[in-house]
Amino acid sequence: MMTSQEIRQSFTDFFASKQHQIVPSAPMVIKDDPTLMFTNAGMNQFKDIILGNAPIKYPRIADSQKCLRVSGKHNDLEEVGHDTYHHTMFEMLGNWSFGDYFKKEAIAWAWEYLTEVLKLDADRLYATVFEGSPEENLERDDEAAGYWEKYLPAERIINGNKKDNFWEMGDTGPCGPCSEIHIDIRSDEERRKVDALSLVNNDHPQVIEIWNLVFMQYNRKSDGSLEPLPAKVIDTGMGFERLCMAVQGKLSNYDTDVFQPIIAKIGEITNTAYGEDEKKDIAMRVIADHVRTIAFSITDGQLPSNAKAGYVIRRILRRAVRYGYTFLGMHEAFMYRLVPSLIQVMGDAYPELDAQKTLIEKVIQEEENSFLRTLETGIRLLERSLPPTPSQGGGVLSGDVAFQLYDTFGFPLDLTELILREHDMTVDHKGFDTEMQKQKDRARNAAAVETGDWVKVRDGETEFVGYDETETETQVLRYRKVKQKNKEFYQIVLTKSPFYAEMGGQVGDSGWLVDENGAKTDIFDTKRENNLPVHLTNKLPQQIESTFVAKIDTDKRTATECNHTATHLMHEALRETLGAHVEQKGSYVSPDVLRFDFSHFQKMTPEEIREVEKRVTEKIRSDMRIEEHRHVPIEEAKAQGAMALFGEKYGDDVRTVRFGSSIELCGGTHISSTGRIGTFRIVSEGAIAAGVRRIEAVTAKGCEEYLYKMEDVLREVKNRVAANAPEIMVGLSKLVSENEEMMKQIQEFVKERTEKLKHEIIARKQEVNGITVFKVLLPMAMPEMIKDIAFQLKGQFPENMLFVAGTDFQGKPMLTVMLSDDLVARGLHAGNMVREAAKHIQGGGGGQPHFATAGGKNADGLNMAVEAILQSLNVETH
């Protein structure tokens, strides 16, 4: 039986024999395409070639691409673990032709590989072809069907509709019919009972699609019409995990050697046997799938966070933790312990896993611990919405509370329902769905971008000249209108441009297009879309066909270049100061600031920060000139010592930038010599994830402004605290000493006042219906005093005690309730009591069964709020 590694290798070997260039997988996380967060198909890294924005270097290509599908059109997240063949992260084996071969070869080679190399049973294979679309004047793909008839009987060539058999890159762009290959892996007995023809494309777990051959031959315009592509493209994608299942004779992807070592480790850690309990099996599958996604995302530079792609990864990780928590009893971090098993399975094909093992483990462990704390908080929040005793159940939890648990605390609806069932409660599904739809609508509206068709002004390709020039004569190649968040602007593509398009952490240039009459059109930003530099402007030039001078804002460019070059110098200084384990994990370079994320496992000391500053400043004073080399073979650049970062996609030829001993692969712009940076200071250093730190720094004029502000602050401090002392530190020491003495006096005063107030409250206590009631209404009572008194009284009066206080401190009304344990045992709940009474002070709150507080805005309602609490116990006082 072939192993998964042998299957992957056989695919690349086969297509190499068909004169395909074998290329490495692109990162799973996409950094420079605003339309996509993750690589969700093998074709993503070739979009610029397919769209005609980049030249065709290799007409035939093949690879194994790591992909992630968790959002948008391709969202398999909820199926993952519950079935046998959906995944978040998966590998896609693919072969491409750009204007070379087409349907005949693609079909022939697919058949040859599956039946002759992998020895799959030809009788179990089926093919689908596009049935046509009369409304679009598209006929059946008889060409593809004709080629399939050489290998399959006509009845196993199935017509497919537009949804299944017409592939489109997006609402606009390249598209075309496709032909899917399906395999029937059922037992012979089952095959005799039901013909697979009725099961193809019907979500049967053992009659599944394994390969999709896409024949791109049209371009979809914004009005929906189709036009033929000048160069036809073959784009195929085969699910690696599904292929392994078929080749290894399994009925589930999770039973292959891609997942079994990981599942075995989960079983060992959780003391769970796989295959004995369906719910536990689902949990183990979810965790095995998700840990792959998380680990590969981290190696590609995407850490879990609360924004965009990072939020997606965090949600996937939390989903896995929740399954472990609920179904495997794992209330402590454990997923990080699966990383060695993942490396055992995939480390040979993807060495970045082993190279970043420590970082992956630390990030996952910290995220697990953080979410487990959040999970406990969410459970407490849910418990506050439950009835005081199980016997009072039968209610319905509101949909907005259930959604808050889902959105804020990561509680899937089934976990909330599981807890509610213990209290004989249900959840308002309709309300939950309404809140979920609102969130989806907000996200859709925020991300909605309407783009018109490109209007071609002239033929040609764009050329970037910004490494050497700050202005150049140019013409418009094409333009289009874009609408986003109800704002309209235009994208312009130029024949030649000095404008750097945002990429690699460096912001895009701004500047002007100046026509022959001196009229200026503002360029407010320059972006990169599918590797095409586009210039953003609020209005088009009046004479779009004119010749222009493209001029960048040199002040902003110079400030950005100072920060970018300082980033390179700082990267080297960090490695020299902290060690060779330091590695760039992200950067942001603008005219105002530089931000640098790097791997390091502890907070930098003030001495280390100062040492980095000194080393960078020394390199600045050395006034080292830039040594730039373009079109360097990647292996030669690495041999020279240039660092290649994990999570980046490099071509065969790269650009290197050297300042002294600092040499990096870099496509950004830089200052001509380090002396022009002038000054450099680190303004902050802190953690952004386990094992990853972030530095923010300033240079040049920005650094001068920063230092001036520091001087102004010191001068003001000296004027305020050192007026009666010759030295500022003497004055500060005196001020601190005086403050400490005053605090001691205040604490003594508060202690005396608290004791006196407590005795006054005890003197006014009332005995009502066998309950000792302490009722307090006070202005200007510190919350800390009231809380202290409440706990003291609970200790002095351990039975049948109710303390309720309404106070107003510095304009902030507050309710406080304390109950003795025996009253709580009788079903009373302080949190529920203050939550209801807080309506009288236009506020809210909650807490534990024995102690709770609530704040509000209406102090005039304090008396009614206190009385409401007393009346809820049928206790009346005067």
Side-chain angles (χ1 to χ4, degrees):
M1 183 178 70
M2 295 178 72
T3 67
S4 57
Q5 294 180 14
E6 290 170 341
I7 294 170
R8 188 190 292 112
Q9 188 64 48
S10 75
F11 180 84
T12 54
D13 288 347
F14 175 80
F15 279 99
S17 74
K18 304 296 184 185
Q19 292 75 54
H20 286 63
Q21 178 70 25
I22 308 302
V23 300
S25 170
M28 193 169 69
V29 180
I30 296 177
K31 299 181 176 65
D32 296 313
D33 184 347
T35 67
L36 206 58
M37 287 191 294
F38 302 103
T39 296
N40 63 6
M43 53 72 57
N44 290 154
Q45 67 166 305
F46 307 118
K47 279 174 70 174
D48 52 336
I49 298 175
I50 297 169
L51 291 166
N53 299 334
I56 298 171
K57 187 170 184 179
Y58 305 111
R60 300 180 180 188
I61 285 175
D63 72 351
S64 178
Q65 172 66 52
K66 48 191 179 183
C67 301
L68 176 59
R69 289 185 178 175
V70 287
S71 59
K73 175 183 175 183
H74 300 292
N75 185 356
D76 298 331
L77 182 60
E78 295 308 318
E79 284 79 33
V80 171
H82 290 264
D83 66 19
T84 58
Y85 56 95
H86 279 106
H87 303 289
T88 49
M89 181 262 173
F90 63 97
E91 288 184 76
M92 185 172 282
L93 305 175
N95 57 288
W96 285 265
S97 165
F98 306 110
D100 189 1
Y101 63 84
F102 204 47
K103 297 179 185 179
K104 179 180 179 181
E105 293 84 354
I107 290 172
W109 291 337
W111 185 261
E112 180 183 350
Y113 176 67
L114 292 176
T115 61
E116 297 183 23
V117 176
L118 297 183
K119 308 297 184 185
L120 291 177
D121 185 350
D123 290 337
R124 292 176 175 267
L125 296 176
Y126 298 76
T128 63
V129 296
F130 180 47
E131 66 184 4
S133 174
E135 64 270 19
E136 296 207 67
N137 199 29
L138 293 173
E139 297 181 352
R140 178 179 184 261
D141 192 356
D142 290 332
E143 181 185 3
Y147 293 131
W148 277 121
E149 287 174 2
K150 296 179 181 179
Y151 312 105
L152 289 168
E155 65 270 16
R156 299 221 314 265
I157 303 169
I158 306 165
N159 285 346
N161 58 28
K162 186 177 176 182
K163 174 179 175 291
D164 291 325
N165 283 89
F166 194 88
W167 187 93
E168 306 204 40
M169 183 181 289
D171 294 333
T172 60
C175 56
C178 61
S179 185
E180 298 173 343
I181 303 172
H182 295 251
I183 188 167
D184 182 0
I185 58 174
R186 296 174 300 158
S187 68
D188 291 337
E189 182 181 357
E190 289 175 310
R191 294 177 68 207
R192 284 191 293 270
K193 289 179 181 178
V194 180
D195 193 326
L197 289 171
S198 64
L199 303 177
V200 170
N201 271 335
N202 279 308
D203 297 323
H204 192 285
Q206 275 95 51
V207 183
I208 58 171
E209 173 200 343
I210 55 171
W211 207 343
N212 190 11
L213 315 179
V214 177
F215 314 126
M216 290 189 216
Q217 57 192 91
Y218 303 107
N219 179 54
R220 174 81 69 184
K221 301 179 73 173
S222 62
D223 64 2
S225 63
L226 297 172
E227 62 181 9
L229 278 179
K232 296 177 181 178
V233 173
I234 285 293
D235 163 14
T236 86
M238 177 158 51
F240 174 67
E241 293 80 5
R242 295 184 182 188
L243 182 64
C244 289
M245 173 176 65
V247 173
Q248 295 179 2
K250 306 296 184 182
L251 296 180
S252 165
N253 291 1
Y254 295 96
D255 291 339
T256 67
D257 66 345
V258 177
F259 288 99
Q260 273 303 301
I262 304 172
I263 289 175
K265 188 64 177 179
I266 296 170
E268 176 188 323
I269 293 172
T270 63
N271 195 28
T272 304
Y274 184 67
E276 294 183 356
D277 182 298
E278 180 60 18
K279 289 185 177 180
K280 291 182 179 180
D281 289 352
I282 290 172
M284 295 171 83
R285 292 195 292 265
V286 166
I287 294 163
D289 172 275
H290 289 7
V291 75
R292 300 197 325 158
T293 298
I294 299 155
F296 274 101
S297 297
I298 294 169
T299 64
D300 281 352
Q302 182 56 67
L303 301 170
S305 70
N306 283 330
K308 298 182 180 178
Y311 183 60
V312 173
I313 301 306
R314 175 165 283 168
R315 290 294 292 270
I316 291 172
L317 189 149
R318 290 183 167 191
R319 185 174 188 263
V321 173
R322 195 274 300 180
Y323 270 90
Y325 184 97
T326 305
F327 300 106
L328 303 179
M330 295 306 294
H331 294 188
E332 60 183 33
F334 75 98
M335 281 176 55
Y336 73 97
R337 295 167 60 188
L338 303 175
V339 175
S341 298
L342 174 62
I343 293 172
Q344 172 193 336
V345 174
M346 304 188 73
D348 288 344
Y350 300 100
E352 60 266 34
L353 288 171
D354 195 33
Q356 301 197 69
K357 175 177 177 289
T358 302
L359 175 65
I360 297 168
E361 290 174 335
K362 285 183 177 291
V363 172
I364 292 178
Q365 184 180 18
E366 177 59 31
E367 282 288 321
E368 285 187 90
N369 286 328
S370 174
F371 181 52
L372 286 168
R373 291 191 293 269
T374 302
L375 202 58
E376 296 291 351
T377 304
I379 288 173
R380 286 197 295 272
L381 173 66
L382 179 56
E383 286 175 344
R384 289 204 295 269
S385 302
L386 299 175
T389 62
S391 62
Q392 298 176 13
V396 178
L397 182 72
S398 69
D400 57 346
V401 173
F403 183 76
Q404 181 189 0
L405 287 164
Y406 167 81
D407 193 48
T408 305
F409 298 99
F411 272 51
L413 196 57
D414 58 353
L415 176 59
T416 300
E417 289 176 317
L418 187 68
I419 297 171
L420 290 176
R421 277 198 295 271
E422 297 173 2
H423 294 265
D424 194 25
M425 289 181 67
T426 58
V427 69
D428 174 16
H429 280 265
K430 187 174 181 180
F432 178 88
D433 292 340
T434 298
E435 294 299 318
M436 177 69 82
Q437 190 60 47
K438 287 180 183 177
Q439 186 193 64
K440 288 180 178 178
D441 291 342
R442 287 192 297 268
R444 188 181 299 110
N445 292 336
V449 179
E450 297 177 22
T451 56
D453 289 326
W454 285 109
V455 178
K456 186 167 70 173
V457 178
R458 54 179 51 83
D459 292 324
E461 292 185 359
T462 186
E463 178 187 2
F464 174 63
V465 297
Y467 292 140
D468 308 306
E469 303 175 38
T470 58
E471 61 179 76
T472 189
E473 194 171 272
T474 190
Q475 295 176 312
V476 174
L477 280 172
R478 55 187 186 269
Y479 66 89
R480 68 179 177 184
K481 181 186 286 189
V482 178
K483 185 176 181 181
Q484 185 173 21
K485 296 182 180 178
N486 295 321
K487 291 183 179 180
E488 288 187 350
F489 57 94
Y490 294 87
Q491 295 178 339
I492 297 175
V493 180
L494 301 175
T495 55
K496 290 173 65 177
S497 174
F499 288 76
Y500 182 80
E502 180 178 331
M503 187 174 68
Q506 180 176 332
V507 300
D509 281 326
S510 58
W512 308 270
L513 281 181
V514 185
D515 68 15
E516 294 161 337
N517 298 317
K520 289 185 176 181
T521 300
D522 289 341
I523 303 296
F524 64 83
D525 201 356
T526 311
K527 298 287 188 180
R528 192 175 303 271
E529 198 163 294
N530 299 321
N531 209 36
L532 181 71
V534 292
H535 306 74
L536 310 186
T537 179
N538 289 315
K539 64 176 183 178
L540 292 173
Q542 289 185 348
Q543 301 296 325
I544 198 72
E545 296 183 1
S546 297
T547 297
F548 303 90
V549 174
K551 301 177 64 173
I552 65 172
D553 185 329
T554 53
D555 288 342
K556 287 185 177 179
R557 164 71 82 85
T558 299
T560 301
E561 290 179 336
C562 286
N563 282 333
H564 197 164
T565 299
T567 301
H568 284 217
L569 303 181
M570 185 175 67
H571 189 189
E572 183 180 42
L574 284 166
R575 290 172 64 84
E576 292 171 344
T577 303
L578 303 177
H581 66 278
V582 168
E583 206 170 77
Q584 180 178 333
K585 291 298 170 188
S587 69
Y588 173 77
V589 180
S590 74
D592 305 314
V593 69
L594 70 88
R595 190 175 69 216
F596 188 77
D597 302 337
F598 60 101
S599 53
H600 187 53
F601 302 111
Q602 60 191 36
K603 181 179 177 62
M604 289 179 68
T605 66
E607 292 77 16
E608 288 170 337
I609 292 174
R610 181 64 55 84
E611 178 63 23
V612 170
E613 288 179 331
K614 285 181 176 179
R615 287 177 179 270
V616 173
T617 303
E618 182 181 347
K619 298 173 191 294
I620 291 172
R621 283 200 304 268
S622 299
D623 195 24
M624 297 175 290
R625 295 196 63 79
I626 186 173
E627 295 179 42
E628 178 213 17
H629 297 281
R630 304 172 197 171
H631 310 298
V632 180
I634 181 70
E635 294 306 322
E636 180 181 324
K638 290 179 180 179
Q640 292 173 3
M643 291 186 62
L645 303 178
F646 288 117
E648 296 291 339
K649 176 68 175 176
Y650 298 105
D652 295 330
D653 293 337
V654 295
R655 175 174 177 259
T656 63
V657 174
R658 180 194 291 271
F659 290 97
S661 55
S662 166
I663 177 170
E664 296 197 17
L665 303 177
C666 183
T669 63
H670 287 270
I671 209 73
S672 58
S673 67
T674 60
R676 295 187 61 192
I677 298 172
T679 49
F680 167 87
R681 284 293 184 276
I682 293 173
V683 299
S684 68
E685 187 274 345
I688 59 168
V692 180
R693 313 290 299 178
R694 170 171 291 172
I695 278 178
E696 289 197 5
V698 287
T699 68
K701 187 176 180 180
C703 186
E704 291 174 13
E705 294 296 330
Y706 170 75
L707 294 175
Y708 289 152
K709 287 180 182 178
M710 293 299 99
E711 289 177 4
D712 292 343
V713 170
L714 283 172
R715 187 181 300 110
E716 183 65 21
V717 170
K718 185 174 182 180
N719 290 339
R720 286 175 177 261
V721 306
N724 298 320
E727 296 290 337
I728 187 170
M729 292 308 299
V730 174
L732 281 172
S733 298
K734 181 180 179 183
L735 186 65
V736 170
S737 178
E738 291 173 350
N739 183 64
E740 289 175 348
E741 184 59 35
M742 289 177 63
M743 288 302 297
K744 289 180 182 178
Q745 294 175 12
I746 291 172
Q747 288 171 1
E748 286 297 322
F749 171 77
V750 170
K751 185 177 180 181
E752 292 174 7
R753 174 69 181 130
T754 300
E755 190 65 23
K756 181 180 178 183
L757 181 58
K758 185 184 75 170
H759 287 299
E760 292 173 358
I761 292 171
I762 292 174
R764 295 199 300 269
K765 76 176 188 296
Q766 300 178 56
E767 298 289 335
V768 182
N769 297 332
I771 297 176
T772 302
V773 177
F774 298 97
K775 173 185 171 184
V776 181
L777 277 168
L778 281 176
M780 298 304 292
M782 296 171 62
E784 294 83 0
M785 289 175 55
I786 297 300
K787 181 179 180 180
D788 190 10
I789 290 170
F791 276 90
Q792 287 188 40
L793 291 175
K794 185 173 185 287
Q796 288 183 240
F797 300 87
E799 296 180 351
N800 295 316
M801 188 278 292
L802 163 66
F803 173 87
V804 55
T807 59
D808 181 12
F809 185 68
Q810 296 179 345
K812 296 179 180 178
M814 176 171 279
L815 289 173
T816 304
V817 173
M818 174 68 82
L819 297 171
S820 58
D821 291 340
D822 59 326
L823 292 183
V824 173
R826 283 159 53 182
L828 301 181
H829 194 291
N832 294 340
M833 294 162 70
V834 297
R835 190 179 299 111
E836 184 64 29
K839 295 175 182 177
H840 294 288
I841 58 173
Q842 298 176 12
Q848 299 169 308
H850 69 282
F851 178 74
T853 60
K857 296 180 286 187
N858 178 28
D860 294 337
L862 277 172
N863 188 55
M864 292 180 64
V866 169
E867 290 304 320
I869 289 172
L870 296 173
Q871 289 172 15
S872 69
L873 301 175
N874 295 319
V875 175
E876 295 183 0
T877 66
H878 56 276

